[in-house]
Structure formats: structure tokens, C-alpha cells
Amino acid sequence: MEPRHFLLGLCAIFHFSLRVSSESSCKLKAKFNLSGYKDVEKKKVVIGGMFPIHKRIASNDGNTSRLPVSSGCEGFNYRTFRWTQTMLFAINEINAREDLLPNTDLGYVIYDSCFTISKAVEGTLTYLTGQDEAVPNYRCGNGAPLAALVGAGGSDLSIATARILGLYYFPQVSYSSSCSALQSKFQFPTFLRTIPNDKHQSTAMAQLVLHFGWTWVGTIAADDDYGKYGIKDFRSQVEEAGVCISFSETLPKVNSPEAIQRIVRTVVESTAKIIVVFSSDVDLSPLIHELLRHNVSNRTWIASEAWITSALINQPGVSSVLAGTLGFGVRSAHIPGLQQHLLDLDPYSDPLTEEFWETMFNCTLDYGKALRMAKDRVGETNGTSSRVARGVPEGLCTGRELLAQLNTTYSDVSQLRITYSVYKAVYAVAHALHNLEDCTPGQGPFHGNSCADISNFEPWQLMYYVKNVRFKVPHTDEEIFFEKGDVEGYYDIINWGVDGNGEISYVTVGQYNGSADPENQMTIRNDSIVWNNDELEPPRSVCSENCQPGTRKGIRQGEPVCCFDCIPCADGEISNMTNARECFLCSEDHWSNDAHDVCVPKIIEFLDFGEPLGITLIVISAFGALVTISVGVVFVLHIGTPLVKANDSLLSFSLLFSLVVTFLCSIVFLGEPQHWSCMTSQVALALGFALCLSSIMAKSAVLMLRAQVLKAARSRAKAAAKAAKAAAEAAANCGSPDVIVTNTNNNNDLAAFTKPEVDYLTFAHQRAITAAATLIQAIACTVWLIILPPFPVKNTSAQNIKIILECDEGSVVFICCIFAYDILLALLAFIFAFLARKLEDHFSEAKCVTFGMLVFFIVWISFVPAYLSTRGKFMVAVQIFAILASSFGLLSCIFLPKCYVLLIKPERNTEDMMRPRAKPRDGSSTGTSASLATAATEVTATNASTNIDD
């Protein structure tokens, strides 16, 4: 019984373990729906491929109440199907070669990514697993080893697949994923590509924009890493160079008419004429159709390599919108035999080729489907389910249709750019496998100098050979090698012209080589470019027109820096370049011209001898000096006459000499100021006026004193007359017969001249006063010239456009003191003459002096505001006019009356005419300087008779 119980226990334990095991087993959650090509039977190595043969995944109803099914794909893309066939062509070509992998037959597994990340991930997991049901982290089956993945199309797709493949250090060589984010070996350690990194393309676009001087551009990017990174790099470079972005729009990844219409409105409303587009052809196509519908023209488009040669964009009728487009295309090449391979397709070989054939010829290869379609059409026509005639139903493909008769993107091999990149990617993997297979044992790169087995190698072993591969591409001899996973950044610059049929033609107008020196990276033939609307000159795209020299940029608040106002430079400032940010101040000796773009030397200004104003002043000065000398000559000729001898003739000559000095010193103010002229002009003027005014003051002082003495004498005479008259009247009243009453008024007046006070100031005194007053001024001027003498200066601040050559007084205090002294002498002379103005005679000199001093003050008082309100040489002219006017005033008022008597009325120049006139009846009587001196001889006799009467 015990063995029986033991066996029963073992069966129970085994049954329980099986039940537990079945409950904890792995379950496949979903099955992927992938389409593509597969040939792995009897192959030594398998290369993977992934191409966006369809444009998108088919929409589903979103029902979650049933088992989820992987979506299918729709929108067949002839261009990417050509890429797929190119990979098949390259593998067949390699298998046929004897010099490359001679002992290895390559197989392939190619999946359709449908231009969708989810499908790309599905394909990657399936590829790694090795069977249709993807099992992460497992390789199921014992088939040929996987070499590398060529793909997966767009940058977004490659980023997704590269993250998965990088986990297993599985090589991936991309043919069209150019996004700069993929250059990070930290995130994508096994990613390589045969298409240039977008950082080169962004730089090329930036250089193109700067080359044509466009500063106001719009940007449009696809809503993926390719578009975002490409535009980001472009913007950072152009904005650093001063270019502004008018607008930045993003193309939706899914169909969104509202978003497309919004972008169209932005393009139409923007003033930017240049639009940079970083997008695939699939994402851009809806926008182009909408632009055509709105007939948006007069724009120049800058295209990225993803759509510059795309037939999906280059549809009939797009020339009105896209003519003149400039873009960058990767290197192109001619691949012999490829076109024949493309045309020799067997439509029945696989479902994908069958779909291509049906889409291309708009028919079906399925007889039953064609029959049903024919019946449906007949039923719609007759309204009944009529019997279809026997024979080939309409819409059935024969399989013998000729692809060569169709002008399609698929069979067009004139612009093999991405196609050529696919070709190079396959050959890069093949050469890496060849190097792995050709490894000599004991000389390998791995641990212990070992080599990898071509029939059973690890992905990381092949990765070593892929990243170090170096080969020349067949038929082109282009050398391929990877620098940190990237190839050199070479592009053709392509221009969209219009041929004779009105269709777009691709014209290569330049090249860009990112590995060249910065100054030689871009070569472009401007004269070969056809611009939008057949213009010969590049379009202008600026927010504000360039600020020309003479202006500066004034930034508008709240707007981009490219939107600005052109503000003219202020006077004295210039800008000599276009779009200057600020104006520069000219030096002191220079000033801005009328255009404010050049500093020109300032005009040197001074009152020159040869200009009309200078000549006029010289003539007036010389005339004044000659007139004064003539007056002196007249006085010399009449030196012995009473009029000349009256009141010291020597003072009259000193006064005339000083007037000559003032007339002539005004000439020294003319001409370019020199050290000697600055000192001479001011000192001569100060000394001349000091001598002149001191002479007048001495004359006036004598007149004033004599007037005072005469006034006192008159008062005494009048009192004596009254006393005598009273005494006579008293005597008459007393009846005295000896008293005779007579008129004593005249006798009393004349008696005053006998008083000794009349000649308090003799001629010697007057001369001493004049000499002392002039000496004081001379000493002050000497000290001034020694300590702080005047000197010539360039006055650059008085007038903006002129340099005024003038004299700096050296010391304002000194010159004020000197001329204040002259003013003091003038005031004293005026006061003295004014007090003596009532000395009446046939010739009243006091009144002439008074008038002369009044003219002097009027001239100089008027001079002050006139001088302060003028600038430059006219200040000197005003000063000279003041000197001449005051000199002529003194000469005329003091000497003209005397000359009149000497020359016109010589009969008045007698002793009698110099005597005082009879006293008026009111008892007021005065004398003059001329009569006072000549009356002294008659005073004695008169006094005698008066004494007798007394």
C-alpha cells in the first residue's frame, strides 16, 4: 500500500504544479499587423529595413469592447516605395558581387513604418524577436543572425527605434533621419546615418538667408523632432546675426483643416516674403493645397531636404505658389541598373507589390473583387442586378501593364538623393559585414585579439565594424566614413524653375560643404536663380527698410529688433554705415555734412582783410584817421589864433592823437588772430581811450572849476551891486549933492574876472592829470600782458559748423578792470562837462564836450546787447563799429564846431569874440572857456572905474 500511496502523492503534486504553471505563463497581449518584404531562407546574414511606404495608419473606431487589433496603413507613397526597392536592388547587387561578401548571402526583413511611430516600434520589436509575435528581450528561432537595421524613415521614427535598438547595442543606419538630436551618442549609442546631420542644413539655411540680406522671415516646422530641432537651430543662428522671425507656425501631424487655414492666414497677413519650411513632404502637402486654393503667391520658400525634390509637393499647378523656391538636397547620383529593376516588378510576388500595382494602375489583381466591382457598376447603371457578360471584367489588372509608360515618382530616377542615401546605407552594412568576415584569427579587435563569426556574431561586434567602416560607393567613388555616426554635411542648392510647359524643374545653383572653411562653405550662382514671378533680383524681406548712412536705428517698443524707425543723426553726429545702431560725434574740428554721413572740417571764420566787410571797415578806419590828422593840421596852421590857444592847445593835440590811435587800432582787430594782434588790439584800444578820455576829463575839469568860480563871483558882484544901489538911494534920500547914481551891473560882472580863483588849474595841471591817468592805464595793461596776456584760440562751441578764430582775453578780471577804468574816466569827463555846460559865450566848449560824451555813452551802451547777440566775425565787426562810432562822435562833437570857426567863420576867431557877452537883463551872465582867458586884460580898467564910483 505504501508504494501506491507514494505514487498517488507524486501524481497530485505534478498535477498541482502543472496547474500553477499554466496560470503563471506569459500571454501575448496583441498581434502586430505589419506588411513588407522578407527573405531569410538559406541566408547567412539578415539585414533589416524600415520604410514609410504608406503615409499614415488607417483610422479606427476607437472601440475598446473587443480585442484590440493593430491598425493597417493607407495612402501609398510611390517615392518611399522606390526607396524600398532600392534596398532590395542593393542587396541583390551585393549578393551578385564576388569582391564583397563572396561567401555570404544576405537576406532581408523589411517592414512598413507607415510614417508612424507606433508602427516603427512594432516593426523594431518584431525584427528583434525574429517572429511575427514580438517577445521583448527574446530572440526566438535559430535563423540567420540579424546584422543591422536600415531605417526607419523620418527622424521621429528613428528616435523611437534607436532608443530600443540602443538597449541591445544593435546597429542602426538611417538614410533619411537627419535630426540633430540623434547625434547624441549618450542617448543613441548605435545610431549612424548616411544623410548629413541637420545642424549642417540649419547652418546652410542661415547662411543662405544672410547671403541675400533677408532680415524678416517666417518659419514653418513639422510637429516632430525633425521640424522642431531643425527650426530651433536655424533660429538660433539667424537671430544671433540680427534676423527677426515674423512668425513661427507648426504643421499638424494629423489632418486639421482649422490649423492649416490658420497657418495660411498667418502667411497672407505677414509682411515676410521669405518662409523657411522644415518638414516632410507628407506633413507639408495639406498646406500647399490650401495655399493653392487661396492663390498665395509672391513668397519665396526655403525648403529642407525632405521635400525639396518630392513629387508629392511638386504637383501640377504649384508653380504659381512655389516657383522660385530654394532648398537643400542631399548628394545625388546615378545608379546603373536601378531603373530597370524598378520597372521589372512582378505584381503577384507579394501583397505589398500587389497593392502598389493596383494603386498605380487603378485596377485590381483579384478576379473575384474585379467581378464584384463590375457587377456593382452595372447595377448602378441599370438599376437591377443584370447579368455581367462573360469575359474579363472591367477594372481587372492583367499584370502585364507597363510601368515605363507612366511618368511617376516611382520610376523617376533623375533626382536620386534619398534613394542614393538608402543605397549607401545598405553598402555600409555590407562592408562592415565584409570586414567582420575578413578578420584574421588572432588579429581581431575583440578580447584576446579574437574575431567574430559571420554565422553567429553579436550585434555589438558588428557595431564596431560599422562605426569604423570606410569604403567607396560603387559607380560614384564617393568615400563614406562615419565621424561620430555622421557623414560630411554636403548639399546641393536647388532652385525651382519653370520649364516651357509651365511645370517645375529642378536646377542646381550652388553647393554647401559643411566640412570646408567657413568662408568657402557655400558657393551659389546668383545669376542662375529664377525668383518668384520671374524676377531677376532677389526679393526683399525686411520689416523695416535699411537705415541709410546719416541715420540710426530707433527700436520700436514691443516689436522685434528688425522693426525699427530710421532716426536722422543730430547735428554734429554722423553714421557712415547702413543700419547703424548709433551716431558718432564728430571731433571738435569737424562737423557733420548735410547728409550726416561724413565729418567735414569746420569752416574757419574770422574777419578777413580781403572780404567786403573787412575792406569797408578798413576804409572807414583810414578815413577817420585821415580826418583826425586833417583836423590836427588845421589846428597847427591856426596854432596862434585865440580859439586854438584857448584851454591848452597841447591837450587838443593829445586828444587828436588818441583818436588817431583808436581809429587805427580797429584795423588790428581784422585778420586771423595772432599773439601780437591779440595783445596789440586790446592794449592799443585801452590806452587810446584812456588818453582820449583823460584829455577830455582834464579840459572838462577846468571848465567846471571856472564855471564854479564864475558863479561865485557873480553872486558876490550881485550882492555888491545891491549894496551900492542901496547906499546911493540912501544918500539921495538924504539930499547929498555929491552922490551920482549910475548903472553898475556890467561893472559888477566884469569885476568877478579879477578874482584869483579862476585859474586854479593851469595848463601844467591839466597835462599832469592827463599823463597820470594815462600812466595808470599803461601800468595796468603792462601787468595784464605780463601775467595773463590775450592769446588766439579756436572757438568750436560758439557755432556748430564753424571754428571761430578769436582772441581770448586771458583774464576776464583784468580786461574788466581796464575798461572799467576807461568808463570811470568817461563818467568823470561827462560830469565835469555837464556841470560847466552853462558857460555862455560866442563859443561854448563845455556843451560840445557834453554832447560828445553823450554820443560816446550811447554808442557803447548800444554795443553791449549788439555784441552779446552776435557770433563769430560779426562780434569783431560790432566791436569795430562801436570803436569807430564813438571816435567819430567825439571827433565831430568836440572839433567840428572849432573847425567850422577856423575854416568857415574865421571872423569869429578874434579876441573880441572870445570875450563874454553882455549880461542879460535878468542879471544872469555866464562866460566860456574861450572868453574867460581873454577877458582878464580888460578886467583891470573896469575895476578902476568901479572903485571910483564906489
Side-chain angles (χ1 to χ4, degrees), residues 325-344:
T325 294
L326 282 173
F328 296 86
V330 296
R331 195 189 298 267
S332 64
H334 173 67
I335 304 176
L338 176 62
Q339 187 174 31
Q340 190 61 41
H341 170 83
L342 297 175
L343 297 177
D344 290 344

Side-chain angles (χ1 to χ4, degrees), residues 464-539:
Y464 169 82
Y465 288 101
V466 174
K467 71 178 183 180
N468 293 300
V469 73
R470 195 180 192 102
F471 67 98
K472 289 187 177 181
V473 183
H475 316 301
T476 65
D477 287 336
E478 178 190 355
E479 188 174 22
I480 298 297
F481 61 93
F482 296 107
E483 184 70 30
K484 297 182 180 179
D486 288 331
V487 294
E488 66 174 357
Y490 180 90
Y491 298 91
D492 289 328
I493 302 176
I494 300 172
N495 178 225
W496 284 24
V498 181
D499 59 19
N501 299 324
E503 300 300 325
I504 294 294
S505 62
Y506 305 126
V507 180
T508 300
V509 295
Q511 289 78 33
Y512 176 85
N513 188 355
S515 59
D517 295 333
E519 61 273 9
N520 299 322
Q521 287 181 341
M522 178 178 289
T523 57
I524 186 167
R525 297 179 292 277
N526 293 352
D527 54 352
S528 300
I529 300 176
V530 176
W531 299 103
N532 191 276
N533 297 332
D534 296 327
E535 294 180 358
L536 298 178
E537 295 296 328

Side-chain angles (χ1 to χ4, degrees), residues 277-424:
V277 181
F278 244 105
S279 171
S280 66
D281 53 355
V282 175
D283 292 333
L284 181 61
S285 180
L287 176 62
I288 299 301
H289 292 157
E290 191 68 17
L291 291 170
L292 282 171
R293 194 171 70 86
H294 286 81
N295 193 26
V296 178
S297 58
N298 196 26
R299 302 290 190 279
T300 298
W301 301 80
I302 308 300
S304 62
E305 100 291 337
W307 67 274
I308 183 62
T309 56
S310 171
L312 184 63
I313 302 299
N314 185 9
Q315 296 290 328
V318 300
S319 59
S320 62
V321 174
L322 296 179
T325 294
L326 282 173
F328 296 86
V330 296
R331 195 189 298 267
S332 64
H334 173 67
I335 304 176
L338 176 62
Q339 187 174 31
Q340 190 61 41
H341 170 83
L342 297 175
L343 297 177
D344 290 344
L345 284 184
D346 180 7
Y348 300 102
S349 61
D350 57 81
L352 199 58
T353 306
E354 182 178 339
E355 181 185 358
F356 162 73
W357 200 272
E358 292 177 346
T359 306
M360 178 68 75
F361 293 103
N362 193 24
C363 60
T364 178
L365 293 167
D366 187 348
Y367 181 85
K369 182 179 179 182
L371 189 61
R372 290 191 300 272
M373 292 171 59
K375 289 181 178 181
D376 291 341
R377 284 194 294 271
V378 171
E380 292 174 0
T381 303
N382 300 332
T384 59
S385 299
S386 303
R387 181 181 176 182
V388 180
R390 292 185 178 182
V392 178
E394 184 180 357
L396 179 66
C397 299
T398 64
R400 293 187 297 274
E401 289 83 3
L402 296 178
L403 291 171
Q405 293 180 350
L406 301 179
N407 184 18
T408 63
T409 306
Y410 170 74
S411 58
D412 181 11
V413 295
S414 61
Q415 293 288 331
L416 298 181
R417 297 183 184 275
I418 301 298
T419 302
Y420 179 51
S421 185
V422 173
Y423 188 74
K424 291 187 289 186

